[in-house]
Amino acid sequence: ADHSIDSGLSLNESAKIRMELINRVYQQQIVNFYSEIKKIVWAYFDKLKNHNREDGAGVAFICRNYIDGNLEKKLTLHEIAEKGNVSKQTLNPIFKKRYGVTVKQYVNNKKIELVKKMLADNKKNLQEISNYLSFVDKSYFVKIFHSITGVTPKKYRHELFDKK
């Protein structure tokens, strides 16, 4: 049930399925418990599969997980779309519907979240951070950081350590 919710099924829909299945189990004398459990699990998967087909949540979820696990790479929309087994043109609307941002915005936001942590660690300079996260170059990295946070990475780091 938790996985179905994490994958995009509404809380109400998941709870409804859960109650239907629990009632079915209690109303029957179960001869083969494992067989019944298997039916319950497959009922969730069928419902989730149909839901994901309808709104693309499964594709968005797969692509988001791929992005989250590969932030240090230079991620392209083509590569991400391939992981979701869809075209580039199909992915962005699905992703935006599910997460409220385009794929590129999501990638940049996640990278900047990581940059903030790296700046707080104060172990790498800006060039090393830019290289590690596969930004085109340091100036592009600074531009993206500034557009998302409103300050430069250097100022962000200084503000962190001036507070301490």
Side-chain angles (χ1 to χ4, degrees):
D2 290 341
H3 176 72
S4 67
I5 293 167
D6 289 344
S7 297
L9 202 60
S10 74
L11 180 61
N12 289 339
E13 190 69 29
S14 184
K16 182 179 163 189
I17 295 168
R18 182 186 302 173
M19 290 311 300
E20 287 174 17
L21 297 172
I22 289 171
N23 287 334
R24 200 170 84 207
V25 169
Y26 280 120
Q27 290 170 358
Q28 298 174 4
Q29 286 191 349
I30 299 172
V31 177
N32 187 342
F33 182 75
Y34 293 108
S35 174
E36 287 300 315
I37 293 299
K38 187 175 169 183
K39 288 178 190 175
I40 290 170
V41 170
W42 281 111
Y44 271 108
F45 282 132
D46 286 342
K47 194 73 164 173
L48 189 56
K49 181 175 73 176
N50 291 334
H51 172 75
N52 286 343
R53 252 192 218 131
E54 291 167 10
D55 77 351
V59 169
F61 182 75
I62 288 166
C63 292
R64 187 195 72 190
N65 283 343
Y66 178 73
I67 293 166
D68 291 348
N70 292 281
L71 287 173
E72 73 286 350
K73 287 183 172 182
K74 183 180 183 328
L75 296 166
T76 65
L77 185 58
H78 177 75
E79 174 187 358
I80 296 165
E82 276 186 346
K83 296 298 176 186
N85 203 26
V86 294
S87 71
K88 296 187 303 187
Q89 295 78 12
T90 302
L91 177 58
N92 254 331
I94 289 171
F95 200 91
K96 187 162 186 164
K97 180 181 177 187
R98 181 79 176 127
Y99 298 112
V101 293
T102 66
V103 172
K104 185 175 183 175
Q105 289 169 326
Y106 183 82
V107 169
N108 286 338
N109 289 339
K110 293 304 279 188
K111 284 190 177 204
I112 297 309
E113 283 178 29
L114 188 53
V115 167
K116 287 178 180 180
K117 292 175 186 171
M118 294 173 83
L119 290 170
D121 286 344
N122 206 20
K123 293 179 182 173
K124 293 185 181 205
N125 65 39
L126 298 183
Q127 185 65 56
E128 291 170 326
I129 293 172
S130 174
N131 291 344
Y132 175 74
L133 292 174
S134 302
F135 283 98
V136 175
D137 58 31
K138 183 179 161 188
S139 64
Y140 181 71
F141 156 62
V142 171
K143 178 183 172 186
I144 296 297
F145 189 91
H146 186 271
S147 72
I148 291 173
T149 66
V151 295
T152 65
K154 187 175 182 179
K155 184 171 182 175
Y156 180 86
R157 182 179 265 166
H158 284 297
E159 288 175 357
L160 279 176
F161 291 102
D162 285 346
K163 290 179 185 176
K164 292 181 179 181

